[in-house]
Amino acid sequence: MFEKIETGIAASRAPLSGTVKVGRIVRSAHIAKNPETGELVTGDIECQARQVFSNLRQLEAAGSTLAAVVQIQVYLIDRADAPGMNKIYREFFAPPFPVRATVVTELLSPGIRLEILATAVCSLD
């Protein structure tokens, strides 16, 4: 069974958990929302990507870090957003980069330019 991790980010109104942990594996999904209010942070892809990856730092609540992220799935609404997302991605991740897949698709809520799903590993400590 997995454990829901309380990260301090405002809970979604949808029936989901934002971050879960099973053993040493943590899975965390994020959109560009203000962690305190839960409101969508609007703006261009760089603004939203910065918020998404800042929110991902909440992996620390599960005993992990950005450096321990091994896989990222990125969902964009427009392929033209890929360069801007990559620019911000490089601010948060350094070589060796996590395994990553990027998909262009329609997302559920208006105003969301991207969503990510990250998999990280917790240390043995």
Side-chain angles (χ1 to χ4, degrees), residues 9 28-35 40-41 44-59 66 72-76 85 88-89 92-93 107 111-118:
I9 293 178
S28 193
H30 293 277
I31 59 171
K33 72 177 181 178
N34 178 306
L40 181 66
V41 173
D44 65 13
I45 190 61
E46 291 184 20
C47 175
Q48 287 200 16
R50 190 168 281 109
Q51 185 64 58
V52 165
F53 294 119
S54 291
N55 288 352
L56 187 56
R57 286 189 173 126
Q58 298 299 321
L59 287 169
L66 287 179
I72 301 255
Q73 292 168 261
V74 178
Y75 301 92
L76 298 172
M85 188 278 300
I88 304 308
Y89 186 86
F92 290 84
F93 297 98
L107 295 174
I112 295 175
R113 301 206 61 80
L114 81 154
E115 183 170 357
I116 66 153
L117 174 61

Side-chain angles (χ1 to χ4, degrees), residues 4 6 23 27 33-34 52 62 73 79 90 98 103 106 108 116 122:
K4 178 182 177 190
E6 296 300 333
R27 304 276 307 221
K33 72 177 181 178
N34 178 306
V52 165
Q73 292 168 261
R79 82 176 45 244
R90 285 184 175 96
V103 176
E106 195 172 329
L108 290 177
I116 66 153
C122 295

Side-chain angles (χ1 to χ4, degrees), residues 18-41:
T19 302
V20 297
K21 180 178 180 181
V22 61
R24 293 180 51 220
I25 304 298
V26 181
R27 304 276 307 221
S28 193
H30 293 277
I31 59 171
K33 72 177 181 178
N34 178 306
E36 294 164 6
T37 66
E39 297 297 317
L40 181 66
V41 173

Side-chain angles (χ1 to χ4, degrees), residues 66-72 89 93-101 119:
L66 287 179
V69 172
V70 296
Q71 180 182 12
I72 301 255
Y89 186 86
F93 297 98
F97 294 108
V99 171
R100 191 178 91 192
T119 302

